[in-house]
Amino acid sequence: MESLKSAIECLASLGEVERNPEARQVFLDFRDQLTQGKIRAAEKVRGRWRVNVWVKQGILLGFRIGELSQMGDGASLSFVDKDTFPTRRFTVEDRVRVVPGGSSVRLGSYVAPGVICMPPIFINVGAYVDEGTMVDSHALVGSCAQVGKRVHLSAAAQLGGVLEPINAAPVIVEDDVLVGGNCGVYEGTLVRAGAVLGAGTILTRSTPLYDLVRRKVYRAAGDTPLEVPENAVVVPGARAVKKGQAADWNLSLYTPVIVKYRDEKTEGGVELEDWLR
Ligand SMILES: CC(C)(COP(=O)(O)OP(=O)(O)OC[C@H]1O[C@@H](n2cnc3c(N)ncnc32)[C@H](O)[C@@H]1OP(=O)(O)O)[C@@H](O)C(=O)NCCC(=O)NCCS
């Protein structure tokens, strides 16, 4: 194991490994060990969890040396991914239950080159997903939703579909937006370039958006959808209800809040993992 570890560490320190045939062989041995559970990215040593940095380096090496290749059954299922990470095949002898699942990208949706789709996702008809965008697991790009360049749709982010009424604006997410995990963007909401939606933020036509920085409240009205300003950092918040039974019970209601505009700290938090691309 020590020789595998030092080979990986050595390759990880090299600038150019993409065309190095030795790197591929080392990686394949490494992947075998990983698949067999003989090596792990982290393990418990004397009661404490330790990260095996070299194992993570080995995984990243696989992304670096992998070539795009066609995968799937060639009929209804087709996938394109780095050839260093094909899907595993299980047999009954493995005693692992593999429940059917997967992703669907409907005909009639545009998905630009450079988009990454992590299963399971659904991209519906009329949707437009521009270059360099990441659509993470369990994300939905609803019908007609327009997604810009380099957007990160995090795990379980939902962009609602807007087919009807026919003249209603779809959900629009402009370039370089981060939609955090478990967010929901619905009813034609427009998210301007560079905005960050913190995990769990929900935006609809009925959610007023409180901007603590500019001391404004944004709302949808008539034909105008709810709009998130450029570079706004929105997180899920609450507002006290000051009337009726809700006041007697000291209830508050969910509301999205702009806590700041994107700064250096935000950049650090939303940085995409380039190696995975
Ligand atoms: C929004 C986010 C990017 C943080 O941005 P940031 O610029 O680093 O924000 P800061 O840490 O400076 O926070 C600013 C304020 O908002 C609050 N805040 C930040 N994130 C929040 C959240 N998700 N919910 C509620 N409040 C939040 C902070 O507490 C801080 O308020 P304080 O100064 O009163 O303590 C981060 O919270 C987030 O949600 N990231 C997305 C994570 C995710 O979904 N990843 C998916 C990977 S698949």
Side-chain angles (χ1 to χ4, degrees):
M1 208 59 71
E2 274 309 306
S3 64
L4 185 60
K5 177 173 183 272
S6 48
I8 294 282
E9 283 169 341
C10 173
L11 288 164
S13 67
L14 297 178
E16 174 67 35
V17 286
E18 283 71 2
R19 277 175 287 281
N20 177 340
E22 195 195 321
R24 184 164 279 263
Q25 194 46 58
V26 169
F27 172 75
L28 294 178
D29 292 346
F30 165 80
R31 195 184 64 193
D32 250 10
Q33 304 283 318
L34 207 51
T35 308
Q36 291 172 40
K38 292 185 177 161
I39 54 179
R40 299 175 57 163
E43 60 193 313
K44 217 169 193 176
V45 180
R46 287 184 288 280
R48 296 178 81 105
W49 280 94
R50 184 186 71 190
V51 176
N52 290 325
V53 173
W54 73 274
V55 174
K56 296 174 96 180
Q57 287 173 322
I59 294 169
L60 293 175
L61 178 70
F63 283 104
R64 288 172 71 187
I65 64 176
E67 302 275 351
L68 286 187
S69 77
Q70 186 86 41
M71 300 172 174
D73 65 6
S76 57
L77 295 176
S78 80
F79 307 100
V80 177
D81 199 8
K82 301 261 173 149
D83 61 354
T84 38
F85 292 105
T87 49
R88 283 191 63 172
R89 300 195 79 81
F90 290 94
T91 62
V92 173
E93 286 67 42
D94 290 314
R95 311 304 297 159
V96 175
R97 289 173 64 194
V98 182
V99 179
S103 300
S104 298
V105 179
R106 275 241 175 106
L107 271 177
S109 61
Y110 173 76
V111 182
V115 169
I116 301 175
C117 302
M118 300 298 293
I121 59 151
F122 190 76
I123 301 182
N124 211 342
V125 60
Y128 185 103
V129 184
D130 212 341
E131 285 165 27
T133 281
M134 156 79 90
V135 187
D136 214 333
S137 302
H138 292 276
L140 165 72
V141 184
S143 49
C144 301
Q146 305 294 298
V147 182
K149 292 185 172 52
R150 300 170 301 277
V151 169
H152 190 147
L153 284 186
S154 302
Q158 310 287 295
L159 304 185
V162 181
L163 266 182
E164 301 238 300
I166 209 71
N167 57 347
V171 168
I172 299 172
V173 176
E174 293 184 349
D175 294 349
D176 300 302
V177 166
L178 171 92
V179 182
N182 267 310
C183 282
V185 185
Y186 304 109
E187 296 184 309
T189 298
L190 168 57
V191 184
R192 291 279 185 203
V196 174
L197 306 184
T201 302
I202 307 286
L203 301 168
T204 72
R205 281 188 64 82
S206 314
T207 38
L209 171 59
Y210 287 78
D211 186 335
L212 297 181
V213 182
R214 297 178 180 164
R215 296 164 186 254
K216 280 183 176 173
V217 182
Y218 308 103
R219 294 176 192 271
D223 287 343
T224 316
L226 179 67
E227 195 172 315
V228 178
E230 264 187 32
N231 296 320
V233 176
V234 188
V235 301
R239 64 188 159 96
V241 185
K242 297 204 177 105
K243 55 186 178 193
Q245 189 59 43
D248 291 346
W249 284 345
N250 286 327
L251 293 188
S252 57
L253 289 178
Y254 159 77
T255 195
V257 179
I258 297 175
V259 283
K260 63 197 262 190
Y261 281 75
R262 208 163 164 145
D263 59 16
E264 258 175 38
K265 182 165 180 295
T266 322
E267 296 308 321
V270 305
E271 207 169 89
L272 299 182
E273 294 190 37
D274 282 342
W275 285 119
L276 300 181
R277 286 159 182 264

